[in-house]
Amino acid sequence: MSDTKQPDDKTLTLGGRKTLSLRRTVESGTVRQNFPRGRSKPVLVEKKKRRTIVGGAEAEAQAPEPAPVQEAPKPEPEKAAAPAPAPKPAPAEAARGGVVLRTLTNEEKGARALALAEAKVREEEERRVAESEAKRRAADEERLKKEREETEKRQLEEETRLKAEEEAREQAEQEAKKRVPEAATPAAAAAPAPAAPTREARAAEEAAEAAKAKRKAAEQKPVRRGEERRRGRLTISNALDENERNRSLAAMRRRREREKRAAGPREPGEKIAREVILPETITIQELANRMAERAVDVIKLLMQQGQMLKINDIIDADTAEIIATEMGHMVKRVSEADVEEGLYGEDDNPADMKARPPVVTIMGHVDHGKTSLLDAIREANVVSGEAGGITQHIGAYQAKAPDGQVITFIDTPGHEAFTSMRARGAKVTDLVVLVVAADDGVMPQTIEAINHARAAEVPIIVAINKIDKPEADPSRVRTDLLRQDIVVESMGGDTLEVEVSALKHLNLEKLLEAIQLQAEVLELTANPDRPAEGIVIEAKLDKGRGPVATVLVQRGTLNVGDILVCGAESGKVRALVDDHGRSVQSAGPATPVEVLGLDGTPEAGDRFAVVDSDARAREISDYRQRKKRERLQARGGGAKTSLEQMMSQLKEQGRAEFPLVLKADVQGSAEAIVAALDKLGTDEVGARVLSSGVGGITESDVTLAAASNAVILAFNVRANRQAREAAERDGVEIRYYNVIYHLVDDVKAAMSGLLSPTLREEMLGNAEILEVFNISKVGKVAGCRVTDGVVQRGASVRLIRDDVVIHEGKLSTLKRFKDEVREVKAGQECGMAFENYQDMRSGDVIECYTVEEIQRTL
């Protein structure tokens, strides 16, 4: 291969004895970097050249200029799929030397198009960054320009002032010279002594010299000194940039601080008088926050008044008013109950009302088929999930009628212990479906449900269930209802009645049609476009989800994210779950949902409302919790400290108590169990529930039970591992139940054991003492004759003298002649001795009897 190459050809060659090498593609240079205080250092800057590969000098001369990236047309998808073949290089060009360009593949073309697109995006991003940087630089320059103008203005004012002072000083000097008399002596004229300058003249000269030095320094030092500071990281663009440098943010802060120090201390601003709202009690920290004052100042003011308090101590409204008035604020006194004002909205405008689904409550006696009827309507199977086949929880569900209308059903328990649940269900309902079994008729809880419905003033629809049974008698049900002043339609009344069978699914559509008909008569409406309000149907503590409240929205729409006040608890709605277990984002009027996100478990029957802020929700919940604690203390939950309470406690010491700690799965069940246990108590014995709550048994529950010798009752909940270990260690008994009447029966039996038994005395016989014998090592022995009945050894005896009982005890010895016998019948003689008693006389009567203990029950 020939070595004769063009001098600019940079193609790799292997000809001759030359070594394989690459030419330099980097040019280097130095740039001097300046630092503050006159320091600098040289910095090496490299600039890389772009390497271009061509097929030779002629190819380089003939190569067309590449089109700009912005103007390159975007290839169509159809054309990109079949690119045109690139022309092959001529053999002559290949022979002249250089690299032969090959045809690009589709992948390479795609990669090139992708690179071009990314380059375009980068250029657009760089352009936006440059524009924002230019705007920021322009704003900084405008600010610096204003600062320079202000500085020049201040300098001009300073120069004008100094000039005026200098003119005043010169004028004063001239006047002083005129006042000084000229010396008359020739010596003084020959050598005049310099006149001593006055104090004002010296001060004026010093001020003039200081102003002159300041002007000289200002002329020597440029005003924009801060712009020469270092601009951060040194780059090629910064080094080669000839534009003026901007001031750094730190330099601007330092300049402002210098100007503040030069201006001197600022005058304190005028104190702002605020209107401070004071409740009945308030902490010192909260009072200071409302006045926008320091808590230390409030504590100092209280110390001046002789009160040594801390920042978290509570003061009354009178003391807080004195403090706020002395600190120059206006006071507005409010009552604690005012925090609840406006919580529940006013009545809605009739124009905003829209139709809503009816709320129907299923009520009736236990085991009359309420839940089975609801399951048949919903095509679900809730009964199988209930322990013992009876409903022990209140539930809310939705079902669709044949015409597609949605109906909300509330299922209530029928057991007698769940009276409060039935009353709660009747309060929130529009209709009551009274389920009566055709084979049982009207029962006690049926009458109670009728009374609840009448108290709530809601219409009743009678569902006569179990008509498929052979012993069913619907006419008997109608007759029994007449005794309760309920006249059904078939007997000329206005109460709707439907004969149904939940097991055979008979006449369910007729029942739904009756519900729809009654709902149309009621014309049920609500306003959905407002904050939600409603009532808590049931509440429980779920291990995985925390406090869960089943609520029924009565008006408005409840959304995820709303801040809720629910009884004495508050929180933000994290999730809403419908009756099918699906998460929903909102719930309208007459819709039952489970609410997750509350801080604690509310009580069943509490009202809830949506508020606008978390602070208001906490304020209301704190007030309600405080009132709840006060009510518990008023009922005797607190410590008995007064003399009257101590006397009443002493009077009640004779009453036996059965201490209990109750934990249930839901709030309604705990409430029903506590009510059932209270009914078991008598004047002699009673159940004392130390603590009741929802959720599993914890170690703190075991500690409470161990300290008070109580038994833990668990209803549909279990104890965790730590609680079980603590119970075994402390000897605390934990009883588990899933049916409420089993729990009540066990507690009733245990309380019956605390009752003192009834003592029944049975007379055995009488004996008359004929002679008293004194026997050594035995004592006195009475020789007696049994007059009637039988005298038994070990029986209880009374010694009667002159019809007065002298002694009661037991026989220690009963002998017939010299032999010990078990009993002696009437007409026989015997010897008797008493235990620990020797004062016997002839003529006394010994009465023999037995005492039988009869166990009492509640």
Side-chain angles (χ1 to χ4, degrees):
M1 184 180 290
S2 176
D3 292 337
T4 60
K5 290 274 187 181
Q6 295 183 5
D8 294 335
D9 191 3
K10 300 178 182 179
T11 308
L12 295 177
T13 59
L14 295 174
R17 297 180 180 178
K18 296 181 180 180
T19 59
L20 180 65
S21 63
L22 292 172
R23 300 200 178 194
R24 286 180 63 105
T25 60
V26 178
E27 294 182 2
S28 61
T30 58
V31 174
R32 183 162 293 278
Q33 181 179 8
N34 296 325
F35 294 93
R37 300 181 181 178
R39 297 184 293 115
S40 64
K41 71 173 183 180
V43 179
L44 181 63
V45 179
E46 295 182 351
K47 182 178 180 181
K48 293 185 178 181
K49 291 183 178 181
R50 179 174 295 177
R51 181 180 179 189
T52 305
I53 301 176
V54 297
E58 296 178 1
E60 182 178 1
Q62 296 176 2
E65 296 182 359
V69 177
Q70 291 82 356
E71 299 178 0
K74 187 174 181 180
E76 298 293 335
E78 294 80 0
K79 296 181 181 180
K88 296 182 180 180
E93 295 178 355
R96 284 195 296 269
V99 178
V100 179
L101 296 177
R102 61 182 179 82
T103 304
L104 296 178
T105 62
N106 294 336
E107 292 80 2
E108 292 174 341
K109 289 181 180 180
R112 179 175 295 180
L114 182 60
L116 291 175
E118 292 177 353
K120 187 173 181 180
V121 172
R122 284 197 302 272
E123 289 177 1
E124 184 68 22
E125 185 67 25
E126 292 174 358
R127 183 182 63 78
R128 286 198 297 268
V129 172
E131 289 178 357
S132 61
E133 187 68 22
K135 290 181 181 178
R136 185 187 61 79
R137 191 181 295 113
D140 292 343
E141 290 177 356
E142 184 69 21
R143 186 174 62 257
L144 292 175
K145 183 178 179 182
K146 291 181 180 179
E147 292 178 357
R148 287 196 299 271
E149 291 176 356
E150 293 176 358
T151 304
E152 291 174 359
K153 185 177 179 181
R154 285 196 298 270
Q155 289 178 357
L156 183 60
E157 292 176 355
E158 185 70 19
E159 291 175 359
T160 305
R161 186 180 61 79
L162 293 176
K163 187 175 181 180
E165 291 177 355
E166 187 175 357
E167 291 177 356
R169 183 179 59 80
E170 291 177 356
Q171 186 176 1
E173 289 178 356
Q174 291 177 3
E175 292 178 356
K177 287 179 181 179
K178 290 178 182 180
R179 287 194 298 268
V180 175
E182 296 179 359
T185 58
T198 62
R199 183 179 298 174
E200 292 82 359
R202 287 198 301 271
E205 288 178 0
E206 291 176 358
E209 290 177 359
K212 188 181 294 183
K214 189 173 182 180
R215 285 197 302 272
K216 186 175 180 181
E219 292 174 359
Q220 292 178 357
K221 182 172 64 175
V223 178
R224 299 177 61 182
R225 179 175 176 273
E227 298 180 3
E228 298 178 1
R229 294 183 182 271
R230 182 160 53 97
R231 294 173 295 177
R233 183 179 179 183
L234 181 65
T235 60
I236 297 177
S237 60
N238 285 341
L240 300 180
D241 189 8
E242 297 180 359
N243 297 331
E244 295 182 356
R245 299 183 180 181
N246 298 323
R247 291 172 60 88
S248 66
L249 186 60
M252 295 174 66
R253 287 202 188 102
R254 289 194 294 270
R255 180 176 178 179
R256 293 195 188 99
E257 291 295 332
R258 287 196 299 270
E259 291 177 355
K260 289 180 181 178
R261 287 195 297 269
R266 297 180 59 185
E267 296 181 0
E270 184 179 356
K271 189 171 183 178
I272 301 175
R274 292 177 170 82
E275 184 181 16
V276 182
I277 299 176
L278 295 180
E280 296 176 3
T281 57
I282 190 172
T283 62
I284 295 177
Q285 177 70 64
E286 182 64 23
L287 177 61
N289 293 340
R290 296 188 181 188
M291 295 189 300
E293 302 281 354
R294 295 191 309 165
V296 178
D297 297 336
V298 179
I299 294 175
K300 287 180 180 178
L301 200 55
L302 289 168
M303 291 174 64
Q304 294 175 3
Q305 298 177 359
Q307 300 186 40
M308 303 295 293
L309 298 175
K310 301 186 293 297
I311 193 171
N312 294 325
D313 288 340
I314 298 175
I315 58 178
D316 57 2
D318 296 333
T319 306
E321 183 177 1
I322 294 173
I323 296 298
T325 305
E326 290 191 7
M327 301 189 87
H329 299 284
M330 297 174 290
V331 174
K332 181 180 178 182
R333 297 281 292 269
V334 296
S335 175
E336 274 191 292
D338 292 343
V339 298
E340 293 186 341
E341 287 187 0
L343 178 61
Y344 304 107
E346 300 177 353
D347 294 338
D348 296 314
N349 187 358
D352 299 332
M353 295 294 193
K354 298 180 181 178
R356 66 169 177 85
V359 179
V360 181
T361 300
I362 310 292
M363 301 180 73
H365 191 73
V366 62
D367 200 23
H368 275 204
K370 297 180 296 300
T371 307
S372 300
L373 181 61
L374 184 57
D375 288 349
I377 295 174
R378 296 178 61 235
E379 296 181 356
N381 190 10
V382 179
V383 174
S384 59
E386 295 287 354
I390 64 170
T391 301
Q392 302 178 107
H393 305 137
I394 187 169
Y397 316 97
Q398 281 192 328
K400 285 189 178 181
D403 61 350
Q405 182 182 359
V406 177
I407 302 174
T408 300
F409 288 96
I410 297 178
D411 186 17
T412 59
H415 195 273
E416 61 179 351
F418 296 96
T419 302
S420 57
M421 280 193 185
R422 287 189 291 275
R424 191 159 52 245
K427 287 179 181 178
V428 301
T429 189
D430 302 316
L431 297 170
V432 169
V433 174
L434 184 65
V435 179
V436 185
D439 55 344
D440 282 349
V442 176
M443 302 295 284
Q445 271 63 57
T446 309
I447 301 173
E448 183 186 331
I450 294 172
N451 295 331
H452 287 316
R454 285 175 176 167
E457 297 181 354
V458 293
I460 298 175
I461 298 176
V462 178
I464 303 175
N465 195 18
K466 301 184 181 180
I467 61 171
D468 57 313
K469 283 192 172 183
E471 60 272 17
D473 188 3
S475 60
R476 174 192 168 192
V477 174
R478 297 184 181 94
T479 306
D480 292 343
L481 290 173
L482 282 175
R483 298 190 182 96
Q484 307 301 325
D485 296 333
I486 293 181
V487 184
V488 296
E489 276 190 339
S490 61
M491 302 182 72
D494 54 357
T495 302
L496 298 176
E497 43 141 352
V498 182
E499 296 181 2
V500 297
S501 172
L503 185 63
K504 303 295 184 180
H505 289 209
L506 297 177
N507 298 333
L508 298 181
E509 286 140 7
K510 289 185 179 180
L511 178 62
L512 294 175
E513 289 174 0
I515 293 173
Q516 286 180 331
L517 179 61
Q518 192 68 51
E520 290 176 2
V521 173
L522 295 175
E523 295 181 356
L524 304 171
T525 57
N527 181 14
D529 303 325
R530 56 161 297 154
E533 294 179 14
I535 193 168
V536 179
I537 297 176
E538 191 57 273
K540 63 181 179 180
L541 184 63
D542 194 290
K543 185 177 181 180
R545 301 185 296 173
V548 179
T550 303
V551 302
L552 178 67
V553 182
Q554 293 178 312
R555 59 177 182 171
T557 301
L558 183 62
N559 301 305
V560 174
D562 287 346
I563 299 173
L564 206 64
V565 175
C566 196
E569 305 296 339
S570 64
K572 187 175 183 180
V573 179
R574 290 192 292 108
L576 296 174
V577 183
D578 63 3
D579 56 324
H580 295 286
R582 298 171 301 192
S583 295
V584 294
Q585 294 299 317
S586 61
T591 303
V593 287
E594 287 185 343
V595 177
L596 280 67
L598 296 176
D599 296 336
T601 307
E603 293 184 0
D606 288 341
R607 293 185 66 186
F608 76 87
V610 174
V611 295
D612 52 356
S613 64
D614 194 14
R616 175 164 168 75
R618 284 197 302 271
E619 187 179 16
I620 296 173
S621 64
D622 292 345
Y623 164 72
R624 290 180 172 178
Q625 288 175 2
R626 187 164 59 254
K627 289 297 181 183
K628 184 178 179 181
R629 288 194 297 269
E630 291 175 359
R631 287 195 301 269
L632 290 176
Q633 291 177 356
R635 280 200 310 231
K640 297 179 183 269
T641 54
S642 67
L643 180 61
E644 181 182 356
Q645 291 171 335
M646 290 176 64
M647 295 300 295
S648 64
Q649 187 179 20
L650 290 174
K651 290 180 181 178
E652 292 178 358
Q653 282 184 350
R655 184 173 186 259
E657 288 186 341
F658 189 52
L660 298 170
V661 175
L662 175 64
K663 296 302 287 290
D665 55 344
V666 295
Q667 186 70 35
S669 298
E671 179 185 11
I673 293 171
V674 171
L677 296 180
D678 288 341
K679 294 179 181 179
L680 296 178
T682 62
D683 295 336
E684 297 182 34
V685 65
R688 182 185 176 193
V689 181
L690 302 175
S691 173
S692 65
V694 295
I697 300 173
T698 60
E699 195 172 358
S700 60
D701 298 326
V702 177
T703 305
L704 175 62
S708 54
N709 296 324
V711 177
I712 299 177
L713 304 180
F715 186 74
N716 283 334
V717 294
R718 290 294 182 269
N720 55 29
R721 183 175 58 84
Q722 294 84 359
R724 289 195 301 269
E725 293 175 356
E728 293 177 0
R729 182 177 63 251
D730 299 337
V732 176
E733 183 181 6
I734 301 177
R735 290 174 172 262
Y736 298 100
Y737 301 94
N738 59 1
V739 180
I740 188 170
Y741 52 76
H742 292 167
L743 183 149
V744 174
D745 291 344
D746 281 3
V747 174
K748 185 176 180 180
M751 290 172 60
S752 299
L754 297 178
L755 290 173
S756 57
T758 301
L759 301 179
R760 188 170 64 185
E761 186 177 296
E762 182 180 356
M763 184 64 62
L764 296 179
N766 293 326
E768 182 182 359
I769 300 178
L770 302 177
E771 190 69 33
V772 178
F773 303 97
N774 194 355
I775 302 175
S776 61
K777 297 183 182 180
V778 177
K780 291 185 178 181
V781 177
C784 308
R785 181 187 294 114
V786 180
T787 56
D788 62 282
V790 178
V791 176
Q792 294 179 351
R793 186 178 58 186
S796 299
V797 292
R798 294 190 186 97
L799 181 64
I800 301 173
R801 182 179 302 161
D802 299 332
D803 298 331
V804 177
V805 177
I806 301 301
H807 171 70
E808 290 186 3
K810 289 184 178 295
L811 288 178
S812 62
T813 302
L814 178 62
K815 290 188 177 182
R816 174 90 172 134
F817 300 107
K818 294 184 179 180
D819 300 329
E820 285 280 348
V821 294
R822 183 175 178 274
E823 64 179 21
V824 178
K825 297 180 180 180
Q828 297 178 352
E829 294 182 354
C830 62
M832 289 186 287
F834 293 92
E835 292 180 355
N836 303 321
Y837 189 77
Q838 304 290 326
D839 186 14
M840 297 176 289
R841 299 178 186 176
S842 60
D844 294 344
V845 177
I846 298 175
E847 185 179 273
C848 185
Y849 64 94
T850 59
V851 177
E852 182 182 0
E853 293 186 356
I854 301 176
Q855 186 64 39
R856 297 167 57 196
T857 58
L858 292 175

